[in-house]
Amino acid sequence: MTQIRNDLRNIAIIAHVDHGKTTLVDGMLKQTKVFREGAKTEERILDSNALERERGITILSKNTAITWNDIKINVVDTPGHSDFGGEVERVLNMVDGALLLIDAVEGPMPQTRFVLRKALELGLRVIVVINKVDRPHARVEEVLNETFDLFIELGATDEQAYFPVVYAIGLDAVAGYEADNLAEDLTPLFETILKEVPPPEIEPDAPARLLVTTLEYDNYKGQLGIGRLRSGTLTRGMPVVRITPNGERHSGKLDYLFTHHNLTKQDVDVVHAGDIVAFGGLPELGISDTIAHPDVTEPLPAIRVEEPTVRMTFGVNTSPFAGREGRAGWGTSRRLRERLYNEVRHNVALRVSEGESSERFIVSGRGELHLGILIETMRREGYEFEVSKPEVIYHEDPATGQMMEPVEEVHIEVADDSSGIVFEMMGSRKGKMLNMRNQHGTTYLTYLAPTRFLLGFQPQFLRATSGMGQFHSLFYDYEPVIKELPPQRSFGSLVAMEMGTATGYALSHLQARGTFFIDAGVEVYEGMVIGEHIRSEDLDVNLTKSKGLTAVRTKNYADEVRVKAARTMSLDDWIEFMADDELLEVTPESLRLRKRILNAEKRIKDRKGKEKMLSS
């Protein structure tokens, strides 16, 4: 028999990236007296991950809980970037409602469409929060109409389309029922949550059942699982069964039991149905596992996520500098395999499979950013490895046998005077324009373009628009493969000919050949890419040459050797620059690009052999 639990609400905060989710949560936490008076707090409290703070985006979903008028509100902050859509798809299973934040100037954006579609499919009650209403050029009425149109377009029911609206300034932590009449705090938002989000329906007398939606690791308690208790009661120390999605049963015991309160987990002895629970004590856990009373025989429906569209090859570092900079013993294939397969257990949008050898693994994800964050995370943990250039994943249409490739829906926001270069760049990438509008000196463009043609496009786009353009893409569908090849890199690589230390003398004589990625005094090895050639072909150069010593003194002997500063390359820049015959060496201290075949003579033979095969 089902009951209503009126003392609890479970909500998620969903939005397009940078529309203010995490900042609004900051205000909610502060106004519910989570912190003592005068306590110093950081901005974006829930973005605790170092990478999240550096990039200014939410990568991992976070759980917190606040209390308002004696009612507990479990809040889940979700990522806004579609590359981390797996996080969104997982956590929406735990909640009954969602706050959809929309920027009062930008309106509904591509990731707004993505997260809203997921919420509507699950039948969640959605509260629309039009945020940043104090911005210049705020389009409150237009944005509200565009949001309603989006609900209808995504197939919202009549009840879902009749959504409540709250207006807010997240940075000031104020909200109201009218855009020009905001309260002094977030009270209207809290009141709307309590009124509109349905309390959880529970079966208190049924056997306990919980679906694992998030995994965490604690240095003292080991692996922790998080999920919403669907029915029954869990108590500390009780025996449970873990049922995997394919029906395997494993017995265990709950050694630890927590609920969320403010920013911490509280140790509890008993948890009742409807609450979001963290637990530990089981030797193994996986996303979509069902934790239940031993009497339960059937698992809960597993979480389904969309398939990856991009893949890279991760492998053991094979460069001459291997083993110098990573943690001792962390560069082996065993360590790499263990780390990647552990990632799959909680990163549900990721796929890992064995590569062409025991030292290589194919890692598939939602996009370049999704894979790039994994690379950066492993690098900071102390791993040393090498990765290949990203490539798209093709599908075969079962009905026609035709090869299909992923296509992205691209949304671009750029100043009017930069729109010409964007038209040209998207045209060369087979983009089909769907929509264009101009407003307040800004051009908004919508395209469909093959994912294959967009790999490495974002850094080029930012350079072309002087860093002022906004580029967002969202998986659209699979379409027949286009025969043409994507635009190739127009410049070749400068490649070191031998191992040694780069000298200022050699660099000064070679700088007319291109742009360097290294400075004098840096160690190099044969086959290492040290710069960008001014021509389309690669060029092998000697960087270790030094000035010969003679007894002759000349007037210019003491002249300074002037070398242009090296170009600083980030991980994203390296991934964009990398050619098909190159690998990126990743260590905790360095990122080095290298040729797959280090020896120059062998590279020439390999290239000629491939050309001969193609001609025959």
Side-chain angles (χ1 to χ4, degrees):
M1 182 178 174
T2 60
Q3 295 181 10
I4 302 296
R5 189 172 169 186
N6 285 308
D7 64 336
L8 185 65
R9 300 291 188 276
N10 295 318
I11 65 166
I13 298 190
I14 57 178
H16 179 84
V17 64
D18 202 32
H19 276 200
K21 297 181 306 301
T22 308
T23 305
L24 184 68
V25 176
D26 284 2
M28 295 171 72
L29 290 167
K30 289 171 183 173
Q31 289 187 18
T32 50
K33 308 300 181 187
V34 169
F35 308 101
R36 67 181 186 276
E37 291 294 329
K40 185 179 178 182
T41 60
E42 296 183 78
E43 292 183 2
R44 295 189 293 117
I45 299 158
L46 288 191
D47 280 352
S48 52
N49 182 306
L51 272 174
E52 292 178 316
R53 291 198 168 277
E54 287 173 22
R55 292 177 178 252
I57 60 173
T58 300
I59 296 169
L60 304 171
S61 62
K62 313 290 192 314
N63 293 77
T64 186
I66 55 180
T67 303
W68 181 261
N69 290 347
D70 298 325
I71 295 178
K72 181 179 179 181
I73 304 173
N74 282 313
V75 182
V76 185
D77 183 23
T78 64
H81 202 289
S82 63
D83 277 22
F84 309 107
E87 291 282 315
V88 177
E89 290 165 305
R90 285 195 289 113
V91 299
L92 290 183
N93 285 274
M94 294 194 291
V95 300
D96 302 296
L99 299 184
L100 175 67
L101 261 69
I102 298 178
D103 190 293
V105 174
E106 295 181 356
M109 293 289 280
Q111 270 77 266
T112 310
R113 172 186 299 272
F114 171 79
V115 292
L116 178 58
R117 186 176 76 239
K118 298 297 177 188
L120 294 177
E121 285 173 357
L122 291 168
L124 302 183
R125 179 62 165 159
V126 178
I127 298 171
V128 172
V129 181
I130 298 181
N131 195 24
K132 307 184 184 181
V133 294
D134 59 330
R135 284 186 65 183
H137 310 304
R139 309 179 295 121
V140 175
E141 288 299 323
E142 289 177 54
V143 165
L144 183 57
N145 291 334
E146 290 170 9
T147 304
F148 178 76
D149 293 342
L150 181 60
F151 270 72
I152 300 303
E153 184 184 333
L154 294 177
T157 63
D158 291 345
E159 184 183 357
Q160 288 174 327
Y162 188 64
F163 51 80
V165 182
V166 177
Y167 302 92
I169 305 173
L171 199 58
D172 298 338
V174 296
Y177 299 112
E178 297 176 7
D180 54 359
N181 185 22
L182 302 183
E184 295 180 354
D185 55 20
L186 292 172
T187 297
L189 177 61
F190 289 120
E191 289 176 345
T192 305
I193 290 171
L194 299 189
K195 178 184 174 185
E196 298 291 343
V197 175
E201 290 189 15
I202 61 172
E203 298 178 71
D205 300 324
R209 291 179 304 152
L210 175 149
L211 187 71
V212 179
T213 55
T214 306
L215 295 178
E216 289 183 2
Y217 189 81
D218 185 282
N219 289 332
Y220 301 101
K221 299 179 176 64
Q223 188 92 65
L224 299 179
I226 298 174
R228 174 177 167 176
L229 185 57
R230 302 299 175 111
S231 60
T233 303
L234 289 179
T235 57
R236 189 201 303 267
M238 74 177 282
V240 293
V241 63
R242 177 174 70 89
I243 311 174
T244 64
N246 57 14
E248 295 177 15
R249 296 172 65 88
H250 304 272
S251 298
K253 187 180 77 167
L254 297 182
D255 294 332
Y256 310 104
L257 207 54
F258 311 94
T259 57
H260 294 89
H261 180 68
N262 298 337
L263 292 175
T264 60
K265 295 186 184 75
Q266 281 189 326
D267 280 290
V268 292
D269 294 320
V270 181
V271 177
H272 301 286
D275 213 342
I276 293 175
V277 185
F279 61 91
L282 301 179
E284 243 185 276
L285 278 175
I287 300 292
S288 289
D289 284 354
T290 298
I291 307 301
H293 188 279
D295 293 344
V296 174
T297 57
E298 293 294 322
L300 290 165
I303 299 166
R304 300 295 176 201
V305 298
E306 292 179 2
E307 291 296 311
T309 56
V310 176
R311 66 187 176 198
M312 299 172 78
T313 299
F314 284 51
V316 173
N317 188 7
T318 56
S319 89
F321 290 172
R324 288 190 180 187
E325 298 173 354
R327 290 179 64 174
W330 281 43
T332 63
S333 60
R334 182 185 64 82
R335 275 279 191 183
L336 197 58
R337 176 186 282 105
E338 184 180 301
R339 176 64 179 83
L340 291 172
Y341 279 100
N342 280 341
E343 182 74 18
V344 174
R345 294 173 62 188
H346 63 85
N347 193 339
V348 292
L350 202 74
R351 302 283 185 276
V352 177
S353 59
E354 300 293 327
E356 58 196 18
S357 71
S358 60
E359 296 187 338
R360 296 192 174 277
F361 309 92
I362 298 169
V363 183
S364 307
R366 283 283 182 86
E368 288 175 284
L369 181 61
H370 188 200
L371 296 175
I373 291 294
L374 173 61
I375 293 169
E376 187 63 42
T377 302
M378 290 175 60
R379 177 190 179 198
R380 295 183 184 205
E381 290 172 358
Y383 287 90
E384 184 177 336
F385 54 99
E386 61 190 24
V387 297
S388 68
K389 185 179 177 65
E391 59 182 19
V392 301
I393 301 170
Y394 298 99
H395 281 194
E396 186 176 323
D397 188 337
T400 63
Q402 190 174 18
M403 289 301 293
M404 312 286 280
E405 67 176 331
V407 173
E408 308 274 329
E409 183 178 313
V410 178
H411 294 255
I412 292 172
E413 179 183 330
V414 68
D416 287 347
D417 56 5
S418 298
S419 57
I421 185 68
V422 174
F423 295 149
E424 184 181 332
M425 293 175 77
M426 289 305 297
S428 68
R429 284 163 175 77
K430 305 302 175 187
K432 300 176 190 172
M433 187 186 291
L434 301 181
N435 189 28
M436 180 178 77
R437 65 181 173 89
N438 297 80
Q439 189 171 18
H440 304 300
T442 301
T443 301
Y444 298 87
L445 302 163
T446 306
Y447 284 91
L448 288 182
T451 305
R452 181 164 48 105
F453 285 74
L454 295 174
L455 294 178
F457 174 65
Q458 182 141 354
Q460 297 174 23
F461 170 81
L462 290 174
R463 285 195 292 271
T465 59
S466 303
M468 302 300 289
Q470 294 283 332
F471 171 90
H472 302 285
S473 65
L474 183 67
F475 173 71
Y476 176 73
D477 202 355
Y478 280 91
E479 293 186 355
V481 174
I482 296 175
K483 291 182 179 178
E484 291 93 331
L485 292 173
Q488 299 298 306
R489 197 173 81 191
S490 53
F491 300 103
S493 297
L494 294 175
V495 186
M497 290 174 62
E498 57 186 48
M499 183 176 284
T501 302
T503 64
Y505 178 78
L507 290 174
S508 67
H509 285 76
L510 290 169
Q511 56 189 347
R513 300 286 191 174
T515 306
F516 293 118
F517 302 143
I518 63 165
D519 291 309
V522 172
E523 279 194 272
V524 298
Y525 55 81
E526 182 184 10
M528 178 174 159
V529 175
I530 53 83
E532 182 180 62
H533 192 200
I534 58 172
R535 296 184 179 177
S536 58
E537 69 273 6
D538 295 339
L539 179 68
D540 293 290
V541 293
N542 183 0
L543 295 173
T544 61
K545 185 168 62 175
S546 58
K547 184 176 176 67
L549 298 177
T550 70
V552 178
R553 298 291 183 267
T554 65
K555 182 180 177 182
N556 298 323
Y557 179 78
D559 284 355
E560 288 185 15
V561 175
R562 298 186 180 275
V563 181
K564 293 177 186 175
R567 186 201 297 178
T568 303
M569 299 283 280
S570 67
L571 175 62
D572 295 336
D573 292 331
W574 281 121
I575 290 174
E576 179 246 327
F577 182 80
M578 203 181 341
D580 291 331
D581 67 337
E582 294 169 349
L583 295 169
L584 181 62
E585 180 186 353
V586 180
T587 76
E589 296 179 22
S590 309
L591 294 170
R592 302 184 191 92
L593 195 63
R594 49 156 290 191
K595 291 295 179 181
R596 286 178 184 266
I597 301 173
L598 297 178
N599 183 269
E601 291 181 10
K602 290 180 180 177
R603 279 202 305 276
I604 293 170
K605 289 179 182 177
D606 181 71
R607 186 177 69 246
K608 287 182 176 178
K610 288 178 179 176
E611 290 172 355
K612 190 175 181 180
M613 285 177 62
L614 289 172
S615 62
S616 60

